[in-house]
Amino acid sequence: MRLHRLEVSAFGPFAATVGIDLDAVAEGGLFLIRGATGAGKTSLLDAVCFALYADVPGARTKKGLHSDHAEPGVVPSVVLELTAGGRRLRLERSPEFTRPKSRGTGHVTVPAKGSLSELDDGHWQVLSTRQDEIGDVVRDVLGMGMEQFSKVVLLPQGDFAAFLRATPEQRRGLLERLFDVSSYAELEEWFAARRRESSAELDVQTAGLAADLGVLTEVLAGLPQGVTGEPLDWSAIPVDDLPPALEAARQSLGSAVAVALAERDAAALADSAATDAHRAASEVSAARTRGDQAKARLAALDEQRADHEAAVVLLERGARAATVRGDLGALARARAAVDSAREALDATAADISTLAVEDVSTRALTGVLDLLASGGRRLDEAELRTAAVTERARRRDEVQRRAGVAKAGVERSRRRLAEATAAHDAAVAALQVAVEQAAHCEPAEREVARLVELRGLRLEQDRESAREHRLRTEMAAAREHAQGLRDHYLDLRQARLDGMAGELAGRLEAGEPCAVCGGTDHPAPAPVSAAVPAPDVEAAESRWRTAELSVGALSEELAGVVAAAAQRDERLAGDERDVAALDTALGEARGRLAALAAAAAHMPAQRTAVQATAQALQQLGAGAEEAMAELSATTSALQTLVEDLAAEQAGLDRATADHAATCPCRGDGDGDAGLEAVRRRHDRSAKAVHAHLSAGEQHHRCEADLAETGDVLAAALAEAGFDDEATARAALLPPPEVAELRRATAAYEQARQSAQATLEEPDVSAALDAEEPDLEALVRARDATRASLLAASSHEALLRRGLAGLDRVNTAVVQRCASIADASAQHALVRDLADTLGGGGSNELRMRLSAFVLAARLERVAALANERLATMGDGRYQLRHTDAPAARGARSGLGLEVLDLWTGQARDTATLSGGESFMASLALALGLADAVREESGGFDLQTLFVDEGFGTLDDDTLEQVMGVLDGLREGGRAVGVVSHVAELRTRIPSQVVVRKTERGSSVRVTLVDEPGSAA
């Protein structure tokens, strides 16, 4: 993987767009990223991670990546171009951030976005804009996740220094994130789960055995003592001894069941004999009782014989009278019909007395019916004409009402049309005024924006002027302070050199060669003086260089302030007004703008009002025309209806007069001459004639039926043996009485026959002749034998149930004991394996399987790191993996120690000095990167970053470390060093300089041709 170009905008401390051509910077293979603390050096590395993985490493979070120096609405973004897996890719990402709402107050969250493009035939082709698809492609082409990338490509020295001094368990966390040992961890977890499952299974079987033994105790508790042998505490018996103990108890209980069965059979024989004797005596006693009861019933029936015979006679006479019951009823009905017909005939004769006729015979009344029919037809005609007159009158009234409504509508339409015309004219005038005012809004807005900008610039000018003055004062003081520290450093260094020369001079001896020049003559030895310690000189130099860095930072900050002041003066464009004057002008401009905006805001409503009034005007004009047409039509229809109504009324009058002259019906004398009253009188007269004729015919038929019914009854009475109608009626009995007499006579006969049959039965006759048996003695004997049988049966059933329960429990316990033996053996095997793989049990190093695999990885990392470390620190140190047991039983296997090849002693990595720790951690980081690359299939990383730590090195060690970094450039690899150490500026020509200001950080790229020149 090689990085080509990085661009950030509104990201981290970078407010403006910052672009870095990494191909140009890394042309020499080694480049420096430097800048003051907090300038944003690490933010550039975060941008690389975010472009690739949409996240940032370490404790930082992808929330809040939007630059605080940028405007709130500016979209933060990162663009990264790289080559990986033979593909040229470009990643564009924007993190989630919040911006002010476009309207109203508050903020809105803008979601994260991303885009992945690939260079194809000179053109960028977008592959995806989905975050998950982009992540899949990145992980596929890079072969690693963000955790590995941040440790293998970025090489943060602080993390590896901590890794160097960490405990084995702490190292395990990092190694697990870098090396995939999930399959081994899953194997550990699988065995641990199997251990839990086997333990749970053993517990289940043990609990089941305890439950079975509890059931066994309950089963045996209900048995008589001693039937199963000596009482035992079943829960205390070992599992292997339970089956034979149960078998012994079962055999003892089986013997007891056999004895109880024999005792029950003997009791059953005695009970059967006593029961048979009692049953025979009971049968004799019951037969004697039945015989005595039959004799008593016969005596009572003899006393009721006379009543029985009288009832038989009544039933016989009633049966003969029942044969003529129908004829008697028919005669009564015929007589009632004749009386009813006579009453109806008399009533109808009164109804026809109102007719204008003299003869009321049947033939005369038939002619009257013809006259009434003719009059009815004339009434029908009159009713039709009446309906027509009524309908035309209704239609005339309706048309008159519609004419009035149409006239009122014409007047209302004319009035509304005038009002709508006036409203439309007013709306048009108001719209013209609003249009004129809206035209002045845009110039007023530009004026307000210009005044706001001028006021902000003036406020910034006042604030930055004070800051510039402060910076100049601080920079002068810092320069003076740095110069003093430099002089002090030079004095100390000269004093140390003088002291070292005096010390060497003190060792000179006449005739002996000088250790410096080799000469044997010593004409002018240096005076002997106390030498200044080297740490004092180094501390003085460090203070001086730190002060120089402070001066440089203040200088850069002051330059930024001065440049911003010049740009601000250009934007003020000679406007001399102060903040108070600008506030006044701004208030007036905003007032004018508010008035114009308020007027312009009404323009849409006024335009709508013009359109509405025009539409209303058009609708009202059409409505007025429709109202005039409606009024003309209703007036014409009203005239036609009046003429038709007069013609219909004349025809009605003629029909009514013709009916009055020809119809025989008369009025009631109440003066009602209306058509409805005439129709009622006519219909009533016709109904009365019809009713009188029908009543006469009915009366004649009823008299003929009465005579015929009397003849039939006389013949039936003679046949039934009755002299007259009255005798037959007296012999009739009501049906309930007949039923009761028949039931009583049948019950009497049945009772006599039943009693006689009982006395004739052989067992009853024999029982009456025999002596009365002693039932009480027989009952006592039977109860005694039955109690003995019940006791024997209960005892036998109890023992048999106990035996059945014991058999059931015995089977369950034997099976459970076998299951416990199998589960116990399985659990012991699984437990030993799981404990060993999990770092417990017989595992003396307390080393888990995944840790064992990681230990092999760590051993390889140490070997690769030693390849780098051999060229640093004069080859004195080697890192060595150790699996020595940790103190106090802690987990071991991931230990690291350093071997001092000069002394041959191994010691803890925490004893390394600051510079030695840096070299060891750098070698460890590079070795870990090489190991991870080997793990991922040898993926070649063409771009690496080494982050900080160089400040702890002396000149010689720094030279050795730089030699290692130079070696990393082999094969065209680019190595970026992130540091603010001043010496590296002269050693690394290509530099990315990150500068911080109050308006955000910026980036400047310097490409120095000569290695010795400063950037």
Side-chain angles (χ1 to χ4, degrees):
M1 179 199 74
R2 187 174 187 88
L3 306 182
H4 301 292
R5 178 175 172 272
L6 175 66
E7 180 181 301
V8 297
S9 179
F11 184 91
F14 303 100
T17 301
V18 172
I20 303 175
D21 185 353
L22 294 174
D23 284 333
V25 174
E27 185 175 359
L30 191 63
F31 62 94
L32 175 66
I33 302 176
R34 67 179 179 88
T37 301
K41 301 186 296 296
T42 304
S43 294
L44 294 177
L45 305 185
D46 287 347
V48 173
C49 274
F50 184 80
L52 292 171
Y53 300 101
D55 203 352
V56 292
R60 300 178 295 280
T61 173
K62 62 182 178 180
K63 300 289 186 181
L65 293 178
H66 185 273
S67 176
D68 294 334
H69 299 281
E71 293 295 328
V74 177
V75 178
S77 65
V78 176
V79 179
L80 178 66
E81 293 182 16
L82 70 153
T83 297
R87 303 170 64 181
R88 180 69 176 261
L89 303 175
R90 180 173 66 193
L91 290 147
E92 302 179 31
R93 291 194 190 263
S94 173
E96 177 184 303
F97 72 102
T98 59
R99 61 168 178 79
K101 291 183 177 179
S102 301
R103 296 181 180 178
T105 59
H107 290 75
V108 63
T109 300
V110 180
K113 296 180 180 179
S115 173
L116 174 64
S117 304
E118 183 173 4
L119 189 62
D120 183 13
D121 196 19
H123 300 283
W124 288 104
Q125 302 292 334
V126 177
L127 299 182
S128 178
T129 57
R130 290 181 50 181
Q131 299 281 20
D132 54 346
E133 292 180 353
I134 295 173
D136 291 341
V137 174
V138 169
R139 282 187 291 273
D140 182 56
V141 299
L142 295 186
M144 64 182 74
M146 190 187 72
E147 187 68 32
Q148 289 179 310
F149 182 86
S150 63
K151 297 295 187 296
V152 174
V153 178
L154 303 185
L155 303 183
Q157 294 306 296
D159 289 355
F160 286 100
F163 180 82
L164 194 65
R165 295 178 172 84
T167 64
E169 195 63 25
Q170 291 170 340
R171 289 194 187 97
R172 175 188 176 89
L174 175 61
L175 292 173
E176 283 181 341
R177 293 193 295 272
L178 295 178
F179 298 102
D180 184 12
V181 293
S182 57
S183 59
Y184 303 100
E186 289 173 0
L187 186 61
E188 294 174 12
E189 182 57 33
W190 186 86
F191 271 100
R194 288 294 301 131
R195 178 179 57 197
R196 292 192 295 272
E197 292 173 3
S198 63
S199 176
E201 176 63 22
L202 182 59
D203 292 342
V204 169
Q205 295 296 338
T206 303
L209 178 61
D212 293 339
L213 294 179
V215 173
L216 174 63
T217 303
E218 292 179 0
V219 169
L220 299 182
L223 298 177
Q225 189 173 3
V227 297
T228 59
E230 293 297 328
L232 299 175
D233 182 4
W234 296 98
S235 60
I237 299 176
V239 174
D240 295 338
D241 296 339
L242 279 173
L246 281 171
E247 182 60 26
R250 185 187 179 284
Q251 292 178 358
S252 177
L253 182 57
S255 300
V257 169
V259 173
L261 180 60
E263 293 176 352
R264 190 204 66 178
D265 292 342
L269 291 175
D271 178 69
S272 177
T275 301
D276 292 342
H278 176 264
R279 181 169 57 254
S282 297
E283 291 174 355
V284 171
S285 177
R288 288 177 61 86
T289 302
R290 290 175 59 218
D292 293 339
Q293 291 174 348
K295 290 179 180 179
R297 285 200 299 273
L298 286 176
L301 290 174
D302 288 341
E303 295 176 357
Q304 300 173 3
R305 181 181 294 275
D307 294 337
H308 171 67
E309 293 176 350
V312 170
V313 172
L314 287 176
L315 283 174
E316 188 273 332
R317 285 177 56 83
R320 288 189 288 111
T323 60
V324 298
R325 185 191 299 275
D327 297 324
L328 293 172
L331 181 63
R333 289 192 296 275
R335 289 171 179 168
V338 169
D339 295 340
S340 176
R342 168 56 61 188
E343 293 175 358
L345 183 62
D346 295 342
T348 57
D351 292 337
I352 64 174
S353 62
T354 60
L355 295 174
V357 293
E358 297 295 336
D359 188 359
V360 293
S361 63
T362 300
R363 185 173 58 186
L365 289 178
T366 302
V368 170
L369 285 176
D370 294 338
L371 292 175
L372 288 171
S374 176
R377 287 191 293 272
R378 285 189 288 273
L379 282 177
D380 292 341
E381 180 184 358
E383 287 176 346
L384 290 175
R385 290 186 176 277
T386 299
V389 169
T390 301
E391 175 61 21
R392 281 182 169 79
R394 185 193 65 75
R395 291 174 58 190
R396 179 201 61 194
D397 295 340
E398 175 64 20
V399 172
Q400 284 179 343
R401 184 191 64 76
R402 286 169 52 197
V405 172
K407 185 175 181 181
V410 169
E411 295 298 329
R412 185 167 57 254
S413 296
R414 290 173 178 172
R415 184 173 63 256
R416 290 179 177 176
L417 187 60
E419 295 173 353
T421 301
H424 178 65
D425 294 341
V428 170
L431 177 60
Q432 291 175 349
V433 172
V435 169
E436 293 175 356
Q437 292 177 335
H440 297 289
C441 283
E442 186 175 354
E445 289 176 351
R446 290 196 297 270
E447 176 64 16
V448 169
R450 189 181 71 84
L451 289 172
V452 169
E453 180 183 11
L454 291 175
R455 182 179 181 279
L457 291 173
R458 187 63 69 189
L459 287 172
E460 184 180 357
Q461 183 183 51
D462 295 343
R463 183 175 62 253
E464 291 299 302
S465 295
R467 181 184 173 201
E468 180 181 356
H469 177 73
R470 176 180 58 78
L471 286 174
R472 291 185 183 277
T473 303
E474 290 179 358
M475 189 171 68
R479 281 177 175 169
E480 183 177 355
H481 178 64
Q483 184 61 37
L485 292 175
R486 180 177 181 276
D487 294 343
H488 179 63
Y489 160 66
L490 294 176
D491 293 342
L492 286 178
R493 188 175 66 174
Q494 186 61 43
R496 173 168 172 74
L497 294 174
D498 294 343
M500 293 172 63
E503 182 179 354
L504 291 173
R507 298 176 183 174
L508 292 176
E509 295 182 5
E512 295 295 330
C514 176
V516 178
C517 65
T520 56
D521 294 331
H522 314 298
V528 178
S529 61
V532 177
D536 292 350
V537 177
E538 293 175 357
E541 183 183 11
S542 177
R543 288 193 295 272
W544 165 52
R545 295 192 182 279
T546 302
E548 284 291 329
L549 290 176
S550 299
V551 171
L554 289 172
S555 178
E556 290 180 0
E557 186 176 1
L558 180 59
V561 171
V562 172
Q567 294 177 358
R568 187 168 53 251
D569 292 340
E570 292 178 2
R571 293 169 64 187
L572 284 171
D575 192 302
E576 300 297 333
R577 286 178 290 184
D578 58 8
V579 175
L582 288 172
D583 285 341
T584 302
L586 181 59
E588 295 172 354
R590 283 176 173 166
R592 290 191 298 272
L593 177 60
L596 292 172
H602 293 86
M603 188 166 62
Q606 290 165 348
R607 183 175 287 108
T608 302
V610 170
Q611 295 173 353
T613 54
Q615 184 178 2
L617 190 61
Q618 181 180 1
Q619 293 175 351
L620 288 173
E625 294 177 359
E626 292 176 359
M628 290 295 296
E630 177 68 16
L631 178 60
S632 176
T634 52
T635 302
S636 176
L638 180 61
Q639 180 64 31
T640 301
L641 286 172
V642 170
E643 294 173 357
D644 293 344
L645 182 60
E648 289 291 344
Q649 185 64 47
L652 174 62
D653 293 342
R654 288 193 300 273
T656 304
D658 291 343
H659 175 269
T662 59
C663 187
C665 62
R666 300 176 180 176
D668 296 332
D670 55 3
D672 188 359
L675 184 60
E676 292 184 2
V678 173
R679 167 59 76 179
R680 287 195 300 272
R681 290 195 297 272
H682 180 276
D683 293 343
R684 189 166 55 246
S685 298
K687 183 177 180 181
V689 173
H690 278 291
H692 187 69
L693 291 175
S694 297
E697 294 176 359
Q698 180 65 24
H699 181 264
H700 179 72
R701 286 195 298 272
C702 288
E703 287 182 337
D705 290 342
L706 178 60
E708 182 179 357
T709 302
D711 295 339
V712 172
L713 176 62
L717 289 174
E719 184 178 355
F722 291 103
D723 296 335
D724 52 24
E725 177 185 349
T727 305
R729 288 187 181 279
L732 287 173
L733 294 175
E737 185 176 350
V738 172
E740 178 61 24
L741 289 173
R742 286 177 178 172
R743 185 196 63 75
T745 55
Y748 180 86
E749 294 293 341
Q750 183 179 4
R752 176 171 287 279
Q753 292 174 1
S754 176
Q756 191 64 39
T758 299
L759 292 175
E760 292 175 357
E761 292 178 1
D763 56 343
V764 173
S765 176
L768 291 175
D769 295 339
E771 295 182 358
E772 182 74 20
D774 188 357
L775 290 178
E776 293 181 359
L778 293 173
V779 167
R780 287 193 297 272
R782 184 200 62 185
D783 291 344
T785 58
R786 182 158 297 173
S788 298
L789 175 61
L790 289 176
S793 298
S794 297
H795 181 67
E796 187 266 342
L798 175 63
L799 294 180
R800 189 177 295 277
R801 285 196 302 272
L803 181 60
L806 183 58
D807 287 340
R808 289 193 301 272
V809 175
N810 181 40
T811 301
V813 169
V814 169
Q815 293 176 352
R816 189 76 69 179
C817 289
S819 299
I820 288 176
D822 293 341
S824 180
Q826 180 71 15
H827 175 63
L829 177 61
V830 172
R831 180 191 59 207
D832 292 343
L833 283 173
D835 290 346
T836 300
L837 294 179
S842 60
N843 191 333
E844 296 179 357
L845 295 178
R846 295 181 53 79
M847 194 172 181
R848 297 168 61 178
L849 175 62
S850 56
F852 180 79
V853 176
L854 289 176
R857 301 292 190 274
L858 181 59
E859 190 170 5
R860 179 57 180 164
V861 169
L864 293 172
N866 288 330
E867 294 177 5
R868 312 290 186 181
L869 191 58
T871 61
M872 296 185 289
D874 297 325
R876 177 180 179 180
Y877 297 110
Q878 280 187 356
L879 294 174
R880 188 167 66 182
H881 162 255
T882 176
D883 56 3
R888 293 184 295 275
R891 297 188 185 276
S892 57
L894 295 177
L896 270 180
E897 61 184 10
V898 60
L899 177 63
D900 190 339
L901 298 179
W902 288 4
T903 64
Q905 297 297 318
R907 52 193 174 98
D908 192 273
T909 54
T911 62
L912 293 173
S913 66
E916 292 170 341
S917 293
F918 171 76
M919 290 188 296
S921 61
L922 176 59
L924 189 63
L926 295 174
L928 190 59
D930 292 339
V932 172
R933 284 196 295 275
E934 289 179 356
E935 185 79 9
S936 59
F939 186 79
D940 189 16
L941 298 175
Q942 292 295 312
T943 304
L944 293 176
F945 295 92
V946 182
D947 190 1
E948 288 298 349
F950 296 90
T952 61
L953 304 179
D954 57 34
D955 293 342
D956 294 337
T957 305
L958 179 61
E959 190 66 34
Q960 294 170 349
V961 170
M962 292 302 297
V964 172
L965 295 179
D966 284 337
L968 294 177
R969 296 185 294 174
E970 295 176 359
R973 181 181 294 164
V975 180
V977 177
V978 182
S979 179
H980 52 68
V981 174
E983 284 81 353
L984 294 179
R985 302 183 189 181
T986 62
R987 293 177 177 271
I988 302 177
S990 298
Q991 300 177 9
V992 177
V993 183
V994 185
R995 298 193 304 174
K996 64 177 180 179
T997 67
E998 290 187 356
R999 295 183 302 279
S1001 297
S1002 61
V1003 171
R1004 176 169 56 87
V1005 176
T1006 63
L1007 304 176
V1008 182
D1009 295 333
E1010 295 297 330
S1013 61

